Amino acid sequence: MKKESSSGDSITFLGTAGARFMVAKQLAASGGLWLSLGGTEILVDPGPGSIVQSTKRKLMGDKLSAIILSHRHLDHSADVNVMIEAMTRGGFNKNGWLFAPSDALDTEPVIYSYLKSYLEGIEVLEEGKSYHVGDVSFSTPVRHIHPVETYGILFKTAEHAFAYIADTRYFDGLCRSYAGELLIINVVLLEARQSIDHLSMPDVERIISELKPRVAILTHFGMNVWRKRPGEIARRMSQQTGVKVLAARDGMKFDLSQLDYG
Ligand SMILES: [Zn+2]
């Protein structure tokens, strides 16, 4: 019998800008990732403009089951409050969960206190823990090296496993944590810079060569990457690694059924 096709798992890139200059000038959008996984909708890292980018693409906040913040930096969390309002219909419909590291919630919370009661609950992300939203499970295998508490995320659905490698400096053990059919990697830098805790293109090439996913998608570009054209860089990296490497574009929708062929 023919295998049933994927239940419509997809990832929509509501932005591809990373770090402050790209975001401040909105040279690319910065709305995060919208995951639609077997009917469960999850928003990851709603940076500035997430509400604009999502509604523009007919992705409605009240369909969300959860919002996940990899970390508290502005380019990942600026629209979290308005997205909570959207998810809960302004608080009239208690709905959805927020997942975030403790330092996004404790001393200087990134969400307004009056919004907390709108949510079904808040769960604190910690290293090595697993979580569930509907039929989707995800884990935060390792704490990243970044100026604030940061986690990447490994997602598992009935049919697919994929990883989101959020902001981090490269470190031994990063690769070990993120095997999957698909890797989404935030890559801000063209070349490694000692003083900046972000991945560079050489780091990413090393990660892709080691993990050999079916597909890797680069996103969250800094200014120098942007100037060198992410699509060109991805094309060269595909040739170097033998892995299909794509550069995300604003509004790009990646259907996870693409992982099932070839
Ligand atoms: Zn950051």
Side-chain angles (χ1 to χ4, degrees), residues 70-76 146-148 150 167-168 197-198 220:
S70 66
H71 65 298
R72 60 173 293 133
H73 277 157
L74 189 88
D75 50 337
H76 298 254
H146 201 55
V148 298
T150 306
D167 298 3
T168 187
D197 289 335
H198 274 291
H220 209 59

Side-chain angles (χ1 to χ4, degrees), residues 7-29:
S7 49
D9 291 353
S10 69
I11 299 167
T12 302
F13 291 82
L14 297 178
T16 54
R20 59 201 90 163
F21 301 115
M22 285 291 293
V23 172
K25 292 175 189 285
Q26 287 288 292
L27 294 176

Side-chain angles (χ1 to χ4, degrees), residues 9-11 32-38 40-45 65-70 99 125 129-141 151-166 177-184 256 259:
D9 291 353
S10 69
I11 299 167
L33 304 172
W34 189 290
L35 313 180
S36 181
L37 304 172
T40 300
E41 315 277 308
I42 299 173
L43 177 61
V44 181
D45 284 351
S65 297
I67 299 171
I68 305 174
L69 305 184
S70 66
F99 296 85
L125 297 178
K129 291 269 178 78
S130 298
Y131 308 86
H132 288 272
V133 179
D135 293 333
V136 179
S137 64
F138 68 92
S139 62
T140 43
Y151 299 101
I153 303 164
L154 261 176
F155 289 94
K156 239 192 175 112
T157 71
E159 301 184 14
H160 298 109
F162 63 97
Y164 167 54
I165 304 184
S177 307
Y178 291 112
E181 299 163 275
L182 168 67
L183 292 183
I184 298 162
L256 269 69
L259 299 168

Side-chain angles (χ1 to χ4, degrees), residues 82-184:
V82 69
M83 293 313 298
I84 289 173
E85 280 223 341
M87 181 165 71
T88 61
R89 295 189 186 170
F92 288 106
N93 182 25
K94 197 178 175 89
N95 174 47
W97 290 79
L98 175 74
F99 296 85
S102 66
D103 87 339
L105 302 167
D106 292 345
T107 43
E108 187 189 33
V110 297
I111 69 161
Y112 298 134
S113 54
Y114 74 89
L115 294 174
K116 288 185 181 171
S117 63
Y118 296 4
L119 294 161
E120 286 176 82
I122 296 177
E123 282 212 52
V124 177
L125 297 178
E126 290 175 54
E127 184 172 63
K129 291 269 178 78
S130 298
Y131 308 86
H132 288 272
V133 179
D135 293 333
V136 179
S137 64
F138 68 92
S139 62
T140 43
V142 65
R143 183 171 174 164
H144 285 189
I145 300 177
H146 201 55
V148 298
E149 188 180 1
T150 306
Y151 299 101
I153 303 164
L154 261 176
F155 289 94
K156 239 192 175 112
T157 71
E159 301 184 14
H160 298 109
F162 63 97
Y164 167 54
I165 304 184
D167 298 3
T168 187
R169 165 179 291 281
Y170 186 86
F171 57 96
D172 290 337
L174 183 63
C175 288
R176 250 198 325 276
S177 307
Y178 291 112
E181 299 163 275
L182 168 67
L183 292 183
I184 298 162

